Amino acid sequence: MSVNDEAGQLKGEADEPGWEVDPDDEWGVAVVEAVGRQLRLRREASGMRAGEFGRKVGYGEDMVYKIEGGKRIARPEYMVKSDKVLKAAGLLTAMNEDLEKVRYPKKVREIAQMESKAVEIGMYECSSIVGLLQTPEHARALFEVWQPSYSEGEMERLVAARTARQSIFSRDPAPALNFVQEEATLRRRVGERMDRRRQLERLLEVGRLRNVTLQVMPVDSVAHPGMGGRIELLKFADGTAVGRSDGAFNGRPISEPKQLRILELRFGTIRAMALPPGESLALIEQLLGET
């Protein structure tokens, strides 16, 4: 293999987009800089130059410097390979646990943290399928049409973040999850035909879980309280709760009991007006057959 062929196989900026550090995420910046510093110190202690080290882990020299300088977030496989090359006995691989939290945007991390603690979650969505229910293909198709456009790297990071939140379905004990989807969001042609089929199959899979109630608001329903926008309600074990609605309180998160009661009333009314769970799953099966 020639030098040029070997260099062409090394991952560089073009191969690893979208893993920049958010400068407004102070905690994230500190974690990435600390990891980069450890990588640099261990590499220098081993006597390897950045170029040589990069070839051993399969990355370009420029990427090595960016990661060590805290300018880029190292991927899990980069840390695993670095651990092996630098003979770190698992210490570098262990840093993936902290990096995993940083890889997703700060806002998404905050949402995921609340969802991970909630014992009950209620969501109504009128414009798209609830993020917790989206397949990666469906999420990507939505991000691809966003304006202004996301870069390929930004889309990759957003899709990964949305998918990571779905670990809530494997929590033990499982939280009570209640979803209401507008029928129109299920009929909208998002992505390719097979992508749409996988999305409907995913809804059926989740909707059949013991701790999940999935309902559909039919397109021929009368006006209801959800027409102002999405509603989210999260309840915690200590009796507190957090809610948010596009159509109330300027869309900001609220936790004041009087305001929460308004969102609970709206969500309860929406659930009462939507199709029962059994009929909702039957409708999704029908749409799957038509796709």
Side-chain angles (χ1 to χ4, degrees):
M1 182 183 294
S2 69
V3 174
N4 288 338
D5 289 338
E6 184 178 337
Q9 291 185 359
L10 299 179
K11 294 181 182 179
E13 195 78 14
D15 302 304
E16 296 286 291
W19 295 85
E20 300 88 353
V21 185
D22 181 356
D24 296 327
D25 185 357
E26 295 182 3
W27 178 79
V29 169
V31 169
V32 175
E33 288 180 345
V35 171
R37 190 179 307 113
Q38 280 295 316
L39 285 165
R40 178 177 57 80
L41 291 173
R42 287 181 177 275
R43 174 182 61 77
E44 291 176 345
S46 73
M48 270 187 281
R49 293 183 178 274
E52 178 188 359
F53 176 74
R55 287 190 292 274
K56 288 181 179 292
V57 297
Y59 282 74
E61 183 176 357
D62 63 327
M63 185 61 69
V64 172
Y65 279 127
K66 285 180 181 291
I67 290 175
E68 291 182 353
K71 304 300 182 185
R72 296 299 289 266
I73 303 171
R75 299 236 182 185
E77 60 269 22
Y78 184 97
M79 299 300 293
V80 172
K81 290 178 180 178
S82 297
D83 195 294
K84 183 177 180 180
V85 171
L86 297 174
K87 300 178 181 179
L91 294 177
L92 293 178
T93 299
M95 291 182 180
N96 269 328
E97 185 175 343
D98 291 324
L99 286 176
E100 184 175 0
K101 302 171 185 176
V102 181
R103 288 186 184 111
Y104 310 124
K106 181 179 180 181
K107 182 178 179 181
V108 175
R109 291 204 312 268
E110 292 172 347
I111 293 173
Q113 185 177 23
M114 286 194 295
E115 289 172 347
S116 69
K117 296 178 180 178
V119 295
E120 183 179 342
I121 297 177
M123 293 187 176
Y124 161 76
E125 181 59 78
C126 59
S127 60
S128 64
I129 291 175
V130 171
L132 286 174
L133 302 177
Q134 291 177 14
T135 63
E137 295 83 5
H138 188 94
R140 171 171 282 276
L142 291 177
F143 289 133
E144 283 178 344
V145 298
W146 194 258
Q147 297 294 334
S149 299
Y150 291 115
S151 68
E152 182 64 27
E154 288 173 326
M155 278 196 295
E156 182 182 357
R157 194 178 183 195
L158 288 167
V159 171
R162 183 158 293 182
T163 303
R165 285 174 55 204
Q166 296 176 8
S167 62
I168 191 172
F169 292 107
S170 58
R171 269 180 50 192
D172 186 17
L177 303 172
N178 303 292
F179 302 104
V180 182
Q181 284 284 161
E182 286 287 344
E183 181 182 346
T185 65
L186 308 181
R187 292 185 177 275
R188 185 165 294 119
R189 292 183 294 176
V190 176
E192 301 296 329
R193 177 174 175 272
M194 289 308 298
D195 295 338
R196 291 163 56 206
R197 287 190 60 84
R198 278 192 287 269
Q199 179 60 72
L200 291 172
E201 289 169 349
R202 174 60 176 165
L203 291 176
L204 289 172
E205 176 187 354
V206 173
R208 290 170 179 146
L209 296 175
R210 288 188 301 107
N211 61 310
V212 174
T213 299
L214 176 58
Q215 294 177 259
V216 176
M217 182 68 76
V219 292
D220 60 356
S221 68
V222 298
H224 59 76
M227 298 184 70
R230 76 181 64 176
I231 296 176
E232 303 173 32
L233 285 166
L234 283 74
K235 299 182 180 181
F236 307 101
D238 62 0
T240 61
V242 174
R244 190 183 75 82
S245 173
D246 292 339
F249 315 114
N250 297 316
R252 59 182 174 80
I254 54 99
S255 56
E256 205 278 324
K258 290 183 179 179
Q259 295 175 331
L260 283 169
R261 278 197 291 273
I262 293 174
L263 296 190
E264 290 173 346
L265 176 60
R266 293 181 182 182
F267 186 64
T269 303
I270 290 169
R271 292 189 65 188
M273 295 176 65
L275 294 175
E279 292 181 26
S280 296
L281 294 180
L283 175 57
I284 296 173
E285 288 179 334
Q286 176 188 329
L287 294 175
L288 179 60
E290 296 172 356
T291 303

